[in-house]
Amino acid sequence: GRTEQAMEMWSDMLAREVSPNSVTLGCVIDALVEGRRVDEALALFQEWKGRVKCDTITYSTLIKGFAAINDADRAMALFGDMKALGVQLNHVVYTAVITACSRSGQMKRADAVLADMVADGIKPNAITYSVLIRGYCVRGDLKAALELFQRMIRLGFPADCIIFNTLLDGCVQSANWELA
């Protein structure tokens, strides 16, 4: 597959003594993450981060990988490294960290990241709110999901079918038939 091809090219590049740059490193890390080989992606990142400038995209790719495997702790550790190193943060990075926290059931942590996001002047988008609403619904906290939904609407974000399906699913999971 794609991951194996990327790893073969990477090995071939290194065998030819071609130095990777941030783009090639990022592509291989992305291929590993897409192949659900997040530990290998992190190992490669750790091996090369001192020699190749790692940018926002590389970090966010790894954080998304940790979100996919429900590993909020490692996502938060990378996020902390980004802050400490002055790597630019954007809504993609914040949403990926919020996703990692939400998927692993750490909604207080996800809320804290959202608060940091807003405090840092980065505006959440509809995806950010959708991830949080889904996290609350999965945890069975329909009240918090609905409060966040109302806040999202007040802030001018449109409610799409994904959000409504998420809330409907939350109602079903909570056996709240009247609200559904």
Side-chain angles (χ1 to χ4, degrees), residues 66-178:
F66 289 129
I69 62 170
N70 299 329
D71 192 339
D73 292 335
R74 291 197 288 177
M76 288 296 293
L78 271 177
F79 183 61
D81 289 350
M82 287 182 78
K83 286 180 157 185
L85 295 170
V87 178
Q88 184 175 354
L89 303 174
N90 60 25
H91 75 278
V92 174
V93 172
Y94 274 101
T95 300
V97 173
I98 290 168
T99 301
C101 294
S102 295
R103 284 186 176 169
S104 50
Q106 299 180 31
M107 295 311 297
K108 285 185 182 178
R109 207 174 195 186
D111 285 337
V113 174
L114 177 66
D116 288 348
M117 181 181 191
V118 172
D120 288 345
I122 298 171
K123 294 183 179 183
N125 62 16
I127 296 169
T128 310
Y129 285 107
S130 179
V131 165
L132 284 161
I133 289 168
R134 178 166 203 69
Y136 280 118
C137 286
V138 168
R139 300 287 297 161
D141 191 348
L142 191 57
K143 182 177 185 250
L146 289 168
E147 287 172 2
L148 190 58
F149 173 74
Q150 293 297 331
R151 183 165 127 201
M152 183 188 102
I153 297 300
R154 278 194 311 275
L155 291 171
F157 290 98
D160 61 12
C161 63
I162 295 169
I163 297 250
F164 280 116
N165 283 339
T166 300
L167 286 169
L168 191 57
D169 188 48
C171 289
V172 170
Q173 287 180 25
S174 300
N176 190 332
W177 312 117
E178 185 179 315

Side-chain angles (χ1 to χ4, degrees), residues 5-71:
Q5 285 178 324
M7 293 310 296
E8 286 174 23
M9 291 166 117
W10 178 261
S11 295
D12 189 44
M13 189 177 83
L14 295 179
R16 294 171 190 251
E17 298 183 6
V18 175
S19 296
N21 61 23
S22 63
V23 174
T24 54
L25 178 63
C27 286
V28 172
I29 287 173
D30 183 55
L32 288 167
V33 166
E34 287 296 316
R36 301 197 59 67
R37 293 163 57 178
V38 182
D39 288 330
E40 288 178 62
L42 181 63
L44 190 66
F45 170 79
Q46 298 290 0
E47 179 184 347
W48 285 92
K49 72 178 183 180
R51 294 178 269 175
V52 175
K53 186 178 186 319
C54 294
D55 59 10
T56 305
I57 296 168
T58 305
Y59 277 94
S60 64
T61 300
L62 281 167
I63 291 170
K64 286 178 188 178
F66 289 129
I69 62 170
N70 299 329
D71 192 339

